[in-house]
Amino acid sequence: MPFMDKWSCLVTGAGGFLGQRIVRQLLEEEKQLEEIRLLDKVLSPQLLLEFSELKHKTKVTVMQGDILDEQLLHKACQGITAVIHTASVIDTGLWRRKEVMMEVNLKGTQLLLEACISASVPIFIYTSSVEVAGPNSYRKPVQNGHEGELLESKWRNAYPYSKKLAEKAVLAVDGQLLRSGIIMHTCSLRPMYIYGEGSIFLQSEITKALNNDKTIKRNKEGSMANQVYVENVAWAHVLALRSLRDSEKAQTIGGQFYYICDDTPPQSYSDLNYELSKEWGFKLGSKIGIPFTLLYWAAFLLEMISFMLYPIFIYEPPLNCHLLTLTNSVFTLSYKKAKKDLGYMPRFSWLEAKQKTSQWIGTLVAQNREYLKTKAP
């Protein structure tokens, strides 16, 4: 069966780093999109103006509020054809925002699924994370991994744990018969580390380097991971949506998860930051002087101290084993399944992505320069 003629879409986290790109691409590419609903806690007036000007034939409806607001979710899902759920809280700490992440990432997803089932929404796409797959150990490299290997994170840290449980909940409802008589189909996309203009994580690393003579802290020698440009991740969501709107393809894609990366060369996170910023005079720091195994065990001891103190005092260690493993392992994955099933191919090359991101970093450097001038005596 071909695509539905007229359809509508709800995007959660629509004002976020990824969500706003998905909204832009839907407005630009989907000619039959009658209405798009934007759900987020905060949506800037400038962003809303841009969305409204992109495509005048598509109705843009703003639904400002919390993903835990059940009444709002039920209202947002009424009459909707598809949901793209990107809203999430990300944190790499041990205790920091743990309760919030479990509430937003897991409970919020469960509540949204319930609202979709109640409103007979037939399509649900979940923005998951590579962290639901691993890495579990810096000693065990995974190279060119794929979906068939069924890699699964063993970490109990709130972010990977909440995302893993939420993804399982999403995929479990695929194939459910809705009250309208339509079959519900779901799928999950697992992007690698997402970079690009506006990334708060990349901005944080650049800010740290600016405060350290433009020196980027180096990861463990030999570590390697995939990174993916934000516009390519957004495009993967559009293609997944198109595939699920086709009832024949939905039979194959429903209930599946897909790794999403692009042609950014696999490299360490510090090498990526350097490649994106070297045009502006940034440099890589010296190699880690402390043996990594010793650093890891130090993090483990700090975690044990934190757990022992937990009943009376919340101590957030400066290091934790999950973060060290995540940023200092060999863990690369393939997007071949997404290419085969979704027709996914990156819209932007590594060169284009690097140029665009580097230009944005240049604006951060200029802003920092202006800031320092105001502080000069």
Side-chain angles (χ1 to χ4, degrees), residues 9-80:
C9 184
L10 167 67
V11 180
T12 73
F17 174 52
L18 172 62
Q20 60 181 266
R21 263 79 175 195
I22 293 172
V23 172
R24 285 192 192 101
Q25 290 193 21
L26 287 172
L27 289 171
E28 291 169 348
E29 301 290 337
E30 301 304 296
K31 294 180 173 58
Q32 299 300 319
L33 181 59
E34 280 193 310
E35 181 185 7
I36 188 164
R37 296 180 189 170
L38 316 179
L39 194 154
D40 209 327
K41 271 193 167 183
V42 179
L43 285 155
S44 71
Q46 295 89 343
L47 195 59
L48 292 174
L49 179 62
E50 179 190 341
F51 289 159
S52 65
E53 290 176 345
L54 276 174
K55 189 177 176 187
H56 67 277
K57 290 182 180 178
T58 300
K59 181 182 178 183
V60 178
T61 304
V62 179
M63 310 198 78
Q64 195 160 317
D66 198 297
I67 196 69
L68 297 171
D69 184 338
E70 294 182 55
Q71 187 176 355
L72 176 65
L73 294 183
H74 282 271
K75 181 181 177 183
C77 291
Q78 290 300 316
I80 283 290

Side-chain angles (χ1 to χ4, degrees), residues 252-313:
T252 302
I253 292 160
Q256 300 291 312
F257 65 85
Y258 295 90
Y259 294 122
I260 305 299
C261 49
D262 56 21
D263 299 325
T264 301
Q267 58 199 302
S268 70
Y269 294 102
S270 55
D271 284 346
L272 172 74
N273 293 338
Y274 170 66
E275 284 297 320
L276 297 173
S277 63
K278 63 183 181 181
E279 177 184 348
W280 307 103
F282 288 78
K283 54 186 178 292
L284 273 172
S286 56
K287 296 178 182 179
I288 299 174
I290 305 170
F292 187 77
T293 303
L294 184 60
L295 192 63
Y296 186 88
W297 280 106
F300 177 77
L301 289 172
L302 289 172
E303 283 192 23
M304 291 303 99
I305 293 169
S306 178
F307 281 116
M308 286 187 289
L309 290 173
Y310 179 68
I312 54 173
F313 177 73

Side-chain angles (χ1 to χ4, degrees), residues 235 239 243 249 253 337-346:
W235 181 234
L239 294 175
S243 297
K249 286 185 178 181
I253 292 160
K337 185 180 177 184
K339 180 180 179 181
K340 175 178 172 289
D341 289 1
L342 309 179
Y344 167 71
M345 286 296 290

Side-chain angles (χ1 to χ4, degrees), residues 144-337:
N144 210 32
H146 55 83
E147 291 82 350
E149 293 183 67
L150 300 179
L151 301 166
E152 183 173 323
S153 169
K154 305 301 181 186
W155 297 101
R156 301 284 292 195
N157 295 59
Y159 181 69
Y161 187 60
S162 63
K163 295 295 282 187
K164 181 175 75 170
L165 294 182
E167 183 187 82
K168 287 180 184 292
V170 169
L171 299 183
V173 300
D174 179 75
Q176 182 164 331
L177 180 64
L178 302 172
R179 285 184 301 181
S180 62
I182 299 173
I183 300 293
M184 185 176 190
H185 286 296
T186 68
C187 77
S188 175
L189 304 185
R190 296 180 175 180
M192 309 298 113
Y193 169 79
I194 308 175
Y195 70 92
E197 312 92 289
S199 164
I200 58 172
F201 298 103
L202 181 54
Q203 183 170 353
S204 174
E205 292 303 312
I206 293 301
T207 301
K208 289 176 189 175
L210 285 169
N211 293 330
N212 189 31
D213 193 30
K214 290 189 176 180
T215 303
I216 294 166
K217 186 178 178 182
R218 190 191 290 262
N219 294 127
K220 177 175 169 283
E221 197 71 19
S223 61
M224 186 181 297
N226 297 109
Q227 296 91 20
V228 59
Y229 184 52
V230 62
E231 294 287 354
N232 290 331
V233 181
W235 181 234
H237 282 74
V238 174
L239 294 175
L241 184 49
R242 287 180 180 175
S243 297
L244 287 180
R245 285 177 56 223
D246 184 316
S247 59
E248 290 182 7
K249 286 185 178 181
Q251 301 298 320
T252 302
I253 292 160
Q256 300 291 312
F257 65 85
Y258 295 90
Y259 294 122
I260 305 299
C261 49
D262 56 21
D263 299 325
T264 301
Q267 58 199 302
S268 70
Y269 294 102
S270 55
D271 284 346
L272 172 74
N273 293 338
Y274 170 66
E275 284 297 320
L276 297 173
S277 63
K278 63 183 181 181
E279 177 184 348
W280 307 103
F282 288 78
K283 54 186 178 292
L284 273 172
S286 56
K287 296 178 182 179
I288 299 174
I290 305 170
F292 187 77
T293 303
L294 184 60
L295 192 63
Y296 186 88
W297 280 106
F300 177 77
L301 289 172
L302 289 172
E303 283 192 23
M304 291 303 99
I305 293 169
S306 178
F307 281 116
M308 286 187 289
L309 290 173
Y310 179 68
I312 54 173
F313 177 73
I314 295 179
Y315 164 61
E316 181 67 49
L319 296 172
N320 66 70
C321 296
H322 168 247
L323 180 58
L324 282 176
T325 302
L326 180 67
T327 54
N328 292 280
S329 298
V330 174
F331 196 73
T332 64
L333 300 157
S334 166
Y335 67 81
K336 283 184 180 178
K337 185 180 177 184

